[in-house]
Amino acid sequence: MPRLTDLKETCLYVDDLPRAKEFYEQVLGLTLLFEDSRFCALDVASRHILLLFVRRASIEGTNLPGGIIPPHDGAGPLHVGFAVTAPELPEWKSHLKAHGVQILSQVSWPKGGRSVYFRDPDGHLLELLTPGVWSTY
């Protein structure tokens, strides 16, 4: 079987694209790579892409010069975890509080990792996690 080498894109569906984009840029420090009326692409640590699509804006395929992107959409609160270093986790918690973001929960995992959970403006559950949460991280 051929091997996957990484996970490159994660997609969340949002109600208000400017509001969501501002949250991810200002609170999480992501950099905008591309934007149009139905979505934006944000760089995550120069290794991954977070796509924010306006809900129901992609329920039809998208024709591009090189081919068609099939339809997709999502509803309800989804979950995304972002990797952080253990020494920076306290600084992240202070940063979230300074931006008015409520920390919902904190978990200490058996392998030594820690997680901090909070929500974005669309209700998606976000997690900051340190090494030691999973056997592979």
Side-chain angles (χ1 to χ4, degrees):
M1 174 175 184
R3 289 185 17 203
L4 298 175
T5 60
D6 204 348
L7 175 66
K8 277 296 155 201
E9 296 177 345
T10 299
C11 184
L12 294 175
Y13 299 91
V14 302
D15 294 317
D16 182 330
L17 186 58
R19 177 187 71 185
K21 183 182 93 162
E22 180 181 6
F23 176 86
Y24 284 92
E25 287 178 321
Q26 298 301 314
V27 177
L28 295 184
L30 304 186
T31 303
L32 181 68
L33 297 173
F34 180 83
E35 176 180 21
D36 67 18
S37 62
R38 64 186 183 91
F39 88 105
C40 72
L42 299 161
D43 176 73
V44 181
S46 298
R47 294 187 355 206
H48 304 285
I49 309 299
L50 176 64
L51 300 172
L52 301 176
F53 276 87
V54 175
R55 285 187 214 280
R56 308 210 34 88
S58 299
I59 57 173
E60 295 184 17
T62 303
N63 292 311
L64 300 173
I68 297 171
I69 299 173
H72 55 90
D73 198 43
L78 303 174
H79 169 67
V80 176
F82 295 95
V84 299
T85 66
E88 286 189 337
L89 190 59
E91 186 177 339
W92 270 107
K93 292 188 319 190
S94 296
H95 178 76
L96 292 173
K97 287 180 184 178
H99 280 85
V101 176
Q102 179 186 7
I103 294 174
L104 301 173
S105 178
Q106 300 182 59
V107 176
S108 296
W109 297 98
K111 295 184 184 310
R114 295 192 43 102
S115 293
V116 172
Y117 295 92
F118 56 100
R119 294 203 184 270
D120 76 359
D122 287 277
H124 297 302
L125 181 63
L126 305 182
E127 176 184 7
L128 300 177
L129 59 150
T130 67
V133 171
W134 296 100
S135 60
T136 57
Y137 176 71

PDB file of all heavy atoms in Angstrom, residues 99-134:
ATOM      1  N   HIS A  99      -7.375  37.922  25.089  1.00  0.00           N
ATOM      2  CA  HIS A  99      -8.248  38.122  23.928  1.00  0.00           C
ATOM      3  C   HIS A  99      -9.706  37.782  24.247  1.00  0.00           C
ATOM      4  O   HIS A  99     -10.534  37.689  23.344  1.00  0.00           O
ATOM      5  CB  HIS A  99      -7.749  37.299  22.741  1.00  0.00           C
ATOM      6  CG  HIS A  99      -6.600  37.953  22.039  1.00  0.00           C
ATOM      7  ND1 HIS A  99      -5.295  37.805  22.445  1.00  0.00           N
ATOM      8  CD2 HIS A  99      -6.572  38.787  20.980  1.00  0.00           C
ATOM      9  CE1 HIS A  99      -4.511  38.510  21.655  1.00  0.00           C
ATOM     10  NE2 HIS A  99      -5.259  39.123  20.758  1.00  0.00           N
ATOM     11  N   GLY A 100     -10.011  37.575  25.521  1.00  0.00           N
ATOM     12  CA  GLY A 100     -11.385  37.305  25.916  1.00  0.00           C
ATOM     13  C   GLY A 100     -11.881  35.916  25.571  1.00  0.00           C
ATOM     14  O   GLY A 100     -13.086  35.683  25.516  1.00  0.00           O
ATOM     15  N   VAL A 101     -10.959  34.994  25.356  1.00  0.00           N
ATOM     16  CA  VAL A 101     -11.330  33.618  25.007  1.00  0.00           C
ATOM     17  C   VAL A 101     -11.415  32.798  26.290  1.00  0.00           C
ATOM     18  O   VAL A 101     -10.436  32.723  27.048  1.00  0.00           O
ATOM     19  CB  VAL A 101     -10.306  32.994  24.033  1.00  0.00           C
ATOM     20  CG1 VAL A 101     -10.642  31.538  23.752  1.00  0.00           C
ATOM     21  CG2 VAL A 101     -10.244  33.806  22.742  1.00  0.00           C
ATOM     22  N   GLN A 102     -12.559  32.197  26.532  1.00  0.00           N
ATOM     23  CA  GLN A 102     -12.770  31.397  27.737  1.00  0.00           C
ATOM     24  C   GLN A 102     -12.151  30.013  27.570  1.00  0.00           C
ATOM     25  O   GLN A 102     -12.434  29.310  26.599  1.00  0.00           O
ATOM     26  CB  GLN A 102     -14.264  31.244  28.011  1.00  0.00           C
ATOM     27  CG  GLN A 102     -14.555  30.402  29.226  1.00  0.00           C
ATOM     28  CD  GLN A 102     -16.048  30.134  29.402  1.00  0.00           C
ATOM     29  OE1 GLN A 102     -16.856  30.457  28.560  1.00  0.00           O
ATOM     30  NE2 GLN A 102     -16.381  29.525  30.525  1.00  0.00           N
ATOM     31  N   ILE A 103     -11.317  29.624  28.521  1.00  0.00           N
ATOM     32  CA  ILE A 103     -10.784  28.263  28.548  1.00  0.00           C
ATOM     33  C   ILE A 103     -11.851  27.376  29.169  1.00  0.00           C
ATOM     34  O   ILE A 103     -12.296  27.607  30.292  1.00  0.00           O
ATOM     35  CB  ILE A 103      -9.460  28.208  29.334  1.00  0.00           C
ATOM     36  CG1 ILE A 103      -8.396  29.006  28.569  1.00  0.00           C
ATOM     37  CG2 ILE A 103      -9.021  26.767  29.563  1.00  0.00           C
ATOM     38  CD1 ILE A 103      -7.090  29.167  29.288  1.00  0.00           C
ATOM     39  N   LEU A 104     -12.277  26.366  28.421  1.00  0.00           N
ATOM     40  CA  LEU A 104     -13.363  25.482  28.848  1.00  0.00           C
ATOM     41  C   LEU A 104     -12.875  24.348  29.734  1.00  0.00           C
ATOM     42  O   LEU A 104     -13.578  23.916  30.645  1.00  0.00           O
ATOM     43  CB  LEU A 104     -14.071  24.885  27.630  1.00  0.00           C
ATOM     44  CG  LEU A 104     -14.690  25.884  26.668  1.00  0.00           C
ATOM     45  CD1 LEU A 104     -15.204  25.161  25.429  1.00  0.00           C
ATOM     46  CD2 LEU A 104     -15.799  26.659  27.358  1.00  0.00           C
ATOM     47  N   SER A 105     -11.684  23.842  29.415  1.00  0.00           N
ATOM     48  CA  SER A 105     -11.187  22.661  30.120  1.00  0.00           C
ATOM     49  C   SER A 105      -9.691  22.545  29.921  1.00  0.00           C
ATOM     50  O   SER A 105      -9.144  23.025  28.920  1.00  0.00           O
ATOM     51  CB  SER A 105     -11.890  21.413  29.567  1.00  0.00           C
ATOM     52  OG  SER A 105     -11.405  20.254  30.185  1.00  0.00           O
ATOM     53  N   GLN A 106      -9.056  21.880  30.869  1.00  0.00           N
ATOM     54  CA  GLN A 106      -7.636  21.540  30.770  1.00  0.00           C
ATOM     55  C   GLN A 106      -7.491  20.085  31.172  1.00  0.00           C
ATOM     56  O   GLN A 106      -8.117  19.647  32.139  1.00  0.00           O
ATOM     57  CB  GLN A 106      -6.799  22.439  31.683  1.00  0.00           C
ATOM     58  CG  GLN A 106      -6.926  23.912  31.328  1.00  0.00           C
ATOM     59  CD  GLN A 106      -6.069  24.786  32.193  1.00  0.00           C
ATOM     60  OE1 GLN A 106      -4.856  24.617  32.228  1.00  0.00           O
ATOM     61  NE2 GLN A 106      -6.700  25.723  32.897  1.00  0.00           N
ATOM     62  N   VAL A 107      -6.688  19.359  30.417  1.00  0.00           N
ATOM     63  CA  VAL A 107      -6.513  17.933  30.678  1.00  0.00           C
ATOM     64  C   VAL A 107      -5.026  17.619  30.768  1.00  0.00           C
ATOM     65  O   VAL A 107      -4.237  18.070  29.936  1.00  0.00           O
ATOM     66  CB  VAL A 107      -7.163  17.076  29.563  1.00  0.00           C
ATOM     67  CG1 VAL A 107      -6.899  15.594  29.790  1.00  0.00           C
ATOM     68  CG2 VAL A 107      -8.660  17.350  29.479  1.00  0.00           C
ATOM     69  N   SER A 108      -4.650  16.837  31.773  1.00  0.00           N
ATOM     70  CA  SER A 108      -3.304  16.277  31.876  1.00  0.00           C
ATOM     71  C   SER A 108      -3.404  14.816  31.466  1.00  0.00           C
ATOM     72  O   SER A 108      -4.173  14.048  32.051  1.00  0.00           O
ATOM     73  CB  SER A 108      -2.783  16.376  33.314  1.00  0.00           C
ATOM     74  OG  SER A 108      -2.653  17.727  33.695  1.00  0.00           O
ATOM     75  N   TRP A 109      -2.648  14.432  30.456  1.00  0.00           N
ATOM     76  CA  TRP A 109      -2.734  13.095  29.883  1.00  0.00           C
ATOM     77  C   TRP A 109      -1.725  12.146  30.515  1.00  0.00           C
ATOM     78  O   TRP A 109      -0.676  12.585  31.004  1.00  0.00           O
ATOM     79  CB  TRP A 109      -2.528  13.175  28.370  1.00  0.00           C
ATOM     80  CG  TRP A 109      -3.595  13.977  27.700  1.00  0.00           C
ATOM     81  CD1 TRP A 109      -3.526  15.301  27.319  1.00  0.00           C
ATOM     82  CD2 TRP A 109      -4.907  13.546  27.368  1.00  0.00           C
ATOM     83  NE1 TRP A 109      -4.701  15.702  26.758  1.00  0.00           N
ATOM     84  CE2 TRP A 109      -5.577  14.643  26.769  1.00  0.00           C
ATOM     85  CE3 TRP A 109      -5.591  12.338  27.505  1.00  0.00           C
ATOM     86  CZ2 TRP A 109      -6.883  14.558  26.322  1.00  0.00           C
ATOM     87  CZ3 TRP A 109      -6.891  12.270  27.037  1.00  0.00           C
ATOM     88  CH2 TRP A 109      -7.533  13.358  26.460  1.00  0.00           C
ATOM     89  N   PRO A 110      -1.992  10.827  30.512  1.00  0.00           N
ATOM     90  CA  PRO A 110      -1.111   9.846  31.146  1.00  0.00           C
ATOM     91  C   PRO A 110       0.330   9.855  30.624  1.00  0.00           C
ATOM     92  O   PRO A 110       1.254   9.594  31.378  1.00  0.00           O
ATOM     93  CB  PRO A 110      -1.782   8.501  30.837  1.00  0.00           C
ATOM     94  CG  PRO A 110      -3.219   8.832  30.610  1.00  0.00           C
ATOM     95  CD  PRO A 110      -3.227  10.206  30.010  1.00  0.00           C
ATOM     96  N   LYS A 111       0.522  10.192  29.351  1.00  0.00           N
ATOM     97  CA  LYS A 111       1.874  10.192  28.777  1.00  0.00           C
ATOM     98  C   LYS A 111       2.625  11.502  29.036  1.00  0.00           C
ATOM     99  O   LYS A 111       3.725  11.697  28.555  1.00  0.00           O
ATOM    100  CB  LYS A 111       1.813   9.916  27.275  1.00  0.00           C
ATOM    101  CG  LYS A 111       1.303   8.534  26.925  1.00  0.00           C
ATOM    102  CD  LYS A 111       1.359   8.315  25.432  1.00  0.00           C
ATOM    103  CE  LYS A 111       0.779   7.000  25.007  1.00  0.00           C
ATOM    104  NZ  LYS A 111       1.214   5.828  25.680  1.00  0.00           N
ATOM    105  N   GLY A 112       1.998  12.431  29.802  1.00  0.00           N
ATOM    106  CA  GLY A 112       2.674  13.669  30.176  1.00  0.00           C
ATOM    107  C   GLY A 112       2.233  14.899  29.410  1.00  0.00           C
ATOM    108  O   GLY A 112       2.619  16.011  29.756  1.00  0.00           O
ATOM    109  N   GLY A 113       1.461  14.728  28.352  1.00  0.00           N
ATOM    110  CA  GLY A 113       0.985  15.871  27.588  1.00  0.00           C
ATOM    111  C   GLY A 113      -0.133  16.603  28.302  1.00  0.00           C
ATOM    112  O   GLY A 113      -0.744  16.082  29.237  1.00  0.00           O
ATOM    113  N   ARG A 114      -0.374  17.825  27.855  1.00  0.00           N
ATOM    114  CA  ARG A 114      -1.456  18.639  28.424  1.00  0.00           C
ATOM    115  C   ARG A 114      -2.261  19.233  27.279  1.00  0.00           C
ATOM    116  O   ARG A 114      -1.728  19.537  26.220  1.00  0.00           O
ATOM    117  CB  ARG A 114      -0.896  19.747  29.294  1.00  0.00           C
ATOM    118  CG  ARG A 114      -0.186  19.184  30.526  1.00  0.00           C
ATOM    119  CD  ARG A 114       0.132  20.244  31.539  1.00  0.00           C
ATOM    120  NE  ARG A 114      -0.960  21.174  31.747  1.00  0.00           N
ATOM    121  CZ  ARG A 114      -1.788  21.148  32.793  1.00  0.00           C
ATOM    122  NH1 ARG A 114      -1.641  20.248  33.721  1.00  0.00           N
ATOM    123  NH2 ARG A 114      -2.752  22.039  32.921  1.00  0.00           N
ATOM    124  N   SER A 115      -3.560  19.417  27.520  1.00  0.00           N
ATOM    125  CA  SER A 115      -4.462  20.028  26.545  1.00  0.00           C
ATOM    126  C   SER A 115      -5.232  21.163  27.190  1.00  0.00           C
ATOM    127  O   SER A 115      -5.610  21.072  28.359  1.00  0.00           O
ATOM    128  CB  SER A 115      -5.470  19.001  26.017  1.00  0.00           C
ATOM    129  OG  SER A 115      -4.838  18.002  25.260  1.00  0.00           O
ATOM    130  N   VAL A 116      -5.466  22.204  26.395  1.00  0.00           N
ATOM    131  CA  VAL A 116      -6.311  23.319  26.786  1.00  0.00           C
ATOM    132  C   VAL A 116      -7.381  23.444  25.705  1.00  0.00           C
ATOM    133  O   VAL A 116      -7.066  23.500  24.516  1.00  0.00           O
ATOM    134  CB  VAL A 116      -5.507  24.636  26.895  1.00  0.00           C
ATOM    135  CG1 VAL A 116      -6.420  25.827  27.100  1.00  0.00           C
ATOM    136  CG2 VAL A 116      -4.492  24.530  28.012  1.00  0.00           C
ATOM    137  N   TYR A 117      -8.644  23.470  26.132  1.00  0.00           N
ATOM    138  CA  TYR A 117      -9.773  23.516  25.201  1.00  0.00           C
ATOM    139  C   TYR A 117     -10.502  24.847  25.283  1.00  0.00           C
ATOM    140  O   TYR A 117     -10.717  25.383  26.371  1.00  0.00           O
ATOM    141  CB  TYR A 117     -10.767  22.394  25.521  1.00  0.00           C
ATOM    142  CG  TYR A 117     -10.211  21.014  25.305  1.00  0.00           C
ATOM    143  CD1 TYR A 117      -9.603  20.320  26.345  1.00  0.00           C
ATOM    144  CD2 TYR A 117     -10.302  20.405  24.066  1.00  0.00           C
ATOM    145  CE1 TYR A 117      -9.095  19.050  26.150  1.00  0.00           C
ATOM    146  CE2 TYR A 117      -9.810  19.126  23.856  1.00  0.00           C
ATOM    147  CZ  TYR A 117      -9.204  18.458  24.908  1.00  0.00           C
ATOM    148  OH  TYR A 117      -8.700  17.199  24.697  1.00  0.00           O
ATOM    149  N   PHE A 118     -10.928  25.358  24.115  1.00  0.00           N
ATOM    150  CA  PHE A 118     -11.680  26.608  24.012  1.00  0.00           C
ATOM    151  C   PHE A 118     -12.449  26.587  22.689  1.00  0.00           C
ATOM    152  O   PHE A 118     -12.283  25.671  21.891  1.00  0.00           O
ATOM    153  CB  PHE A 118     -10.743  27.822  24.102  1.00  0.00           C
ATOM    154  CG  PHE A 118      -9.639  27.826  23.079  1.00  0.00           C
ATOM    155  CD1 PHE A 118      -9.748  28.591  21.923  1.00  0.00           C
ATOM    156  CD2 PHE A 118      -8.488  27.070  23.274  1.00  0.00           C
ATOM    157  CE1 PHE A 118      -8.725  28.595  20.974  1.00  0.00           C
ATOM    158  CE2 PHE A 118      -7.465  27.070  22.328  1.00  0.00           C
ATOM    159  CZ  PHE A 118      -7.585  27.833  21.186  1.00  0.00           C
ATOM    160  N   ARG A 119     -13.297  27.568  22.475  1.00  0.00           N
ATOM    161  CA  ARG A 119     -14.112  27.611  21.259  1.00  0.00           C
ATOM    162  C   ARG A 119     -13.793  28.839  20.421  1.00  0.00           C
ATOM    163  O   ARG A 119     -13.434  29.889  20.950  1.00  0.00           O
ATOM    164  CB  ARG A 119     -15.601  27.598  21.592  1.00  0.00           C
ATOM    165  CG  ARG A 119     -16.014  26.288  22.232  1.00  0.00           C
ATOM    166  CD  ARG A 119     -17.489  25.999  22.067  1.00  0.00           C
ATOM    167  NE  ARG A 119     -17.831  24.787  22.786  1.00  0.00           N
ATOM    168  CZ  ARG A 119     -17.793  23.562  22.269  1.00  0.00           C
ATOM    169  NH1 ARG A 119     -17.419  23.378  21.021  1.00  0.00           N
ATOM    170  NH2 ARG A 119     -18.130  22.513  23.001  1.00  0.00           N
ATOM    171  N   ASP A 120     -13.959  28.679  19.108  1.00  0.00           N
ATOM    172  CA  ASP A 120     -13.848  29.820  18.209  1.00  0.00           C
ATOM    173  C   ASP A 120     -15.213  30.500  18.112  1.00  0.00           C
ATOM    174  O   ASP A 120     -16.187  30.029  18.715  1.00  0.00           O
ATOM    175  CB  ASP A 120     -13.278  29.392  16.849  1.00  0.00           C
ATOM    176  CG  ASP A 120     -14.268  28.679  15.946  1.00  0.00           C
ATOM    177  OD1 ASP A 120     -15.436  28.453  16.327  1.00  0.00           O
ATOM    178  OD2 ASP A 120     -13.858  28.332  14.822  1.00  0.00           O
ATOM    179  N   PRO A 121     -15.336  31.612  17.388  1.00  0.00           N
ATOM    180  CA  PRO A 121     -16.619  32.317  17.327  1.00  0.00           C
ATOM    181  C   PRO A 121     -17.772  31.502  16.726  1.00  0.00           C
ATOM    182  O   PRO A 121     -18.932  31.831  16.940  1.00  0.00           O
ATOM    183  CB  PRO A 121     -16.311  33.536  16.449  1.00  0.00           C
ATOM    184  CG  PRO A 121     -14.855  33.766  16.617  1.00  0.00           C
ATOM    185  CD  PRO A 121     -14.263  32.394  16.768  1.00  0.00           C
ATOM    186  N   ASP A 122     -17.470  30.434  15.974  1.00  0.00           N
ATOM    187  CA  ASP A 122     -18.515  29.592  15.394  1.00  0.00           C
ATOM    188  C   ASP A 122     -18.825  28.370  16.247  1.00  0.00           C
ATOM    189  O   ASP A 122     -19.589  27.507  15.838  1.00  0.00           O
ATOM    190  CB  ASP A 122     -18.118  29.171  13.978  1.00  0.00           C
ATOM    191  CG  ASP A 122     -18.230  30.342  13.021  1.00  0.00           C
ATOM    192  OD1 ASP A 122     -19.348  30.596  12.536  1.00  0.00           O
ATOM    193  OD2 ASP A 122     -17.219  31.031  12.795  1.00  0.00           O
ATOM    194  N   GLY A 123     -18.225  28.282  17.424  1.00  0.00           N
ATOM    195  CA  GLY A 123     -18.503  27.178  18.331  1.00  0.00           C
ATOM    196  C   GLY A 123     -17.661  25.942  18.120  1.00  0.00           C
ATOM    197  O   GLY A 123     -17.859  24.934  18.799  1.00  0.00           O
ATOM    198  N   HIS A 124     -16.690  25.990  17.200  1.00  0.00           N
ATOM    199  CA  HIS A 124     -15.807  24.842  17.005  1.00  0.00           C
ATOM    200  C   HIS A 124     -14.909  24.677  18.232  1.00  0.00           C
ATOM    201  O   HIS A 124     -14.438  25.668  18.789  1.00  0.00           O
ATOM    202  CB  HIS A 124     -14.948  25.015  15.752  1.00  0.00           C
ATOM    203  CG  HIS A 124     -15.754  25.084  14.494  1.00  0.00           C
ATOM    204  ND1 HIS A 124     -16.605  24.078  14.099  1.00  0.00           N
ATOM    205  CD2 HIS A 124     -15.862  26.055  13.561  1.00  0.00           C
ATOM    206  CE1 HIS A 124     -17.185  24.414  12.964  1.00  0.00           C
ATOM    207  NE2 HIS A 124     -16.752  25.616  12.623  1.00  0.00           N
ATOM    208  N   LEU A 125     -14.710  23.441  18.633  1.00  0.00           N
ATOM    209  CA  LEU A 125     -13.860  23.151  19.782  1.00  0.00           C
ATOM    210  C   LEU A 125     -12.407  23.123  19.330  1.00  0.00           C
ATOM    211  O   LEU A 125     -12.015  22.292  18.504  1.00  0.00           O
ATOM    212  CB  LEU A 125     -14.241  21.812  20.416  1.00  0.00           C
ATOM    213  CG  LEU A 125     -13.427  21.433  21.649  1.00  0.00           C
ATOM    214  CD1 LEU A 125     -13.649  22.435  22.775  1.00  0.00           C
ATOM    215  CD2 LEU A 125     -13.777  20.025  22.091  1.00  0.00           C
ATOM    216  N   LEU A 126     -11.610  24.018  19.871  1.00  0.00           N
ATOM    217  CA  LEU A 126     -10.189  24.084  19.551  1.00  0.00           C
ATOM    218  C   LEU A 126      -9.395  23.593  20.746  1.00  0.00           C
ATOM    219  O   LEU A 126      -9.813  23.739  21.889  1.00  0.00           O
ATOM    220  CB  LEU A 126      -9.794  25.512  19.188  1.00  0.00           C
ATOM    221  CG  LEU A 126     -10.599  26.147  18.054  1.00  0.00           C
ATOM    222  CD1 LEU A 126     -10.073  27.548  17.768  1.00  0.00           C
ATOM    223  CD2 LEU A 126     -10.566  25.294  16.799  1.00  0.00           C
ATOM    224  N   GLU A 127      -8.255  23.017  20.439  1.00  0.00           N
ATOM    225  CA  GLU A 127      -7.384  22.449  21.474  1.00  0.00           C
ATOM    226  C   GLU A 127      -5.959  22.877  21.206  1.00  0.00           C
ATOM    227  O   GLU A 127      -5.496  22.853  20.071  1.00  0.00           O
ATOM    228  CB  GLU A 127      -7.499  20.924  21.427  1.00  0.00           C
ATOM    229  CG  GLU A 127      -6.584  20.192  22.376  1.00  0.00           C
ATOM    230  CD  GLU A 127      -6.683  18.671  22.201  1.00  0.00           C
ATOM    231  OE1 GLU A 127      -7.357  18.198  21.268  1.00  0.00           O
ATOM    232  OE2 GLU A 127      -6.056  17.957  23.005  1.00  0.00           O
ATOM    233  N   LEU A 128      -5.266  23.283  22.240  1.00  0.00           N
ATOM    234  CA  LEU A 128      -3.819  23.450  22.199  1.00  0.00           C
ATOM    235  C   LEU A 128      -3.260  22.245  22.934  1.00  0.00           C
ATOM    236  O   LEU A 128      -3.638  21.995  24.084  1.00  0.00           O
ATOM    237  CB  LEU A 128      -3.395  24.742  22.896  1.00  0.00           C
ATOM    238  CG  LEU A 128      -3.958  26.035  22.317  1.00  0.00           C
ATOM    239  CD1 LEU A 128      -3.503  27.228  23.158  1.00  0.00           C
ATOM    240  CD2 LEU A 128      -3.545  26.218  20.867  1.00  0.00           C
ATOM    241  N   LEU A 129      -2.393  21.469  22.279  1.00  0.00           N
ATOM    242  CA  LEU A 129      -1.884  20.269  22.924  1.00  0.00           C
ATOM    243  C   LEU A 129      -0.369  20.198  22.838  1.00  0.00           C
ATOM    244  O   LEU A 129       0.229  20.586  21.850  1.00  0.00           O
ATOM    245  CB  LEU A 129      -2.529  19.012  22.357  1.00  0.00           C
ATOM    246  CG  LEU A 129      -2.392  18.702  20.881  1.00  0.00           C
ATOM    247  CD1 LEU A 129      -2.426  17.197  20.681  1.00  0.00           C
ATOM    248  CD2 LEU A 129      -3.543  19.302  20.099  1.00  0.00           C
ATOM    249  N   THR A 130       0.216  19.719  23.918  1.00  0.00           N
ATOM    250  CA  THR A 130       1.670  19.601  24.009  1.00  0.00           C
ATOM    251  C   THR A 130       2.086  18.163  23.709  1.00  0.00           C
ATOM    252  O   THR A 130       1.254  17.246  23.745  1.00  0.00           O
ATOM    253  CB  THR A 130       2.166  19.973  25.418  1.00  0.00           C
ATOM    254  OG1 THR A 130       1.708  18.990  26.341  1.00  0.00           O
ATOM    255  CG2 THR A 130       1.693  21.359  25.832  1.00  0.00           C
ATOM    256  N   PRO A 131       3.369  17.943  23.422  1.00  0.00           N
ATOM    257  CA  PRO A 131       3.827  16.571  23.228  1.00  0.00           C
ATOM    258  C   PRO A 131       3.496  15.705  24.444  1.00  0.00           C
ATOM    259  O   PRO A 131       3.504  16.185  25.581  1.00  0.00           O
ATOM    260  CB  PRO A 131       5.348  16.737  23.066  1.00  0.00           C
ATOM    261  CG  PRO A 131       5.513  18.129  22.505  1.00  0.00           C
ATOM    262  CD  PRO A 131       4.435  18.921  23.190  1.00  0.00           C
ATOM    263  N   GLY A 132       3.172  14.449  24.184  1.00  0.00           N
ATOM    264  CA  GLY A 132       2.830  13.521  25.240  1.00  0.00           C
ATOM    265  C   GLY A 132       1.342  13.244  25.328  1.00  0.00           C
ATOM    266  O   GLY A 132       0.896  12.513  26.216  1.00  0.00           O
ATOM    267  N   VAL A 133       0.550  13.830  24.409  1.00  0.00           N
ATOM    268  CA  VAL A 133      -0.882  13.535  24.391  1.00  0.00           C
ATOM    269  C   VAL A 133      -1.112  12.192  23.710  1.00  0.00           C
ATOM    270  O   VAL A 133      -1.892  11.374  24.179  1.00  0.00           O
ATOM    271  CB  VAL A 133      -1.665  14.665  23.694  1.00  0.00           C
ATOM    272  CG1 VAL A 133      -3.117  14.268  23.472  1.00  0.00           C
ATOM    273  CG2 VAL A 133      -1.585  15.951  24.535  1.00  0.00           C
ATOM    274  N   TRP A 134      -0.422  11.958  22.611  1.00  0.00           N
ATOM    275  CA  TRP A 134      -0.541  10.716  21.846  1.00  0.00           C
ATOM    276  C   TRP A 134       0.797   9.987  21.805  1.00  0.00           C
ATOM    277  O   TRP A 134       1.848  10.609  21.996  1.00  0.00           O
ATOM    278  CB  TRP A 134      -0.977  11.016  20.410  1.00  0.00           C
ATOM    279  CG  TRP A 134      -2.333  11.632  20.331  1.00  0.00           C
ATOM    280  CD1 TRP A 134      -2.625  12.958  20.165  1.00  0.00           C
ATOM    281  CD2 TRP A 134      -3.582  10.957  20.442  1.00  0.00           C
ATOM    282  NE1 TRP A 134      -3.981  13.143  20.148  1.00  0.00           N
ATOM    283  CE2 TRP A 134      -4.601  11.917  20.309  1.00  0.00           C
ATOM    284  CE3 TRP A 134      -3.947   9.621  20.619  1.00  0.00           C
ATOM    285  CZ2 TRP A 134      -5.944  11.602  20.367  1.00  0.00           C
ATOM    286  CZ3 TRP A 134      -5.299   9.299  20.677  1.00  0.00           C
ATOM    287  CH2 TRP A 134      -6.271  10.288  20.546  1.00  0.00           C
TER     288      TRP A 134
END
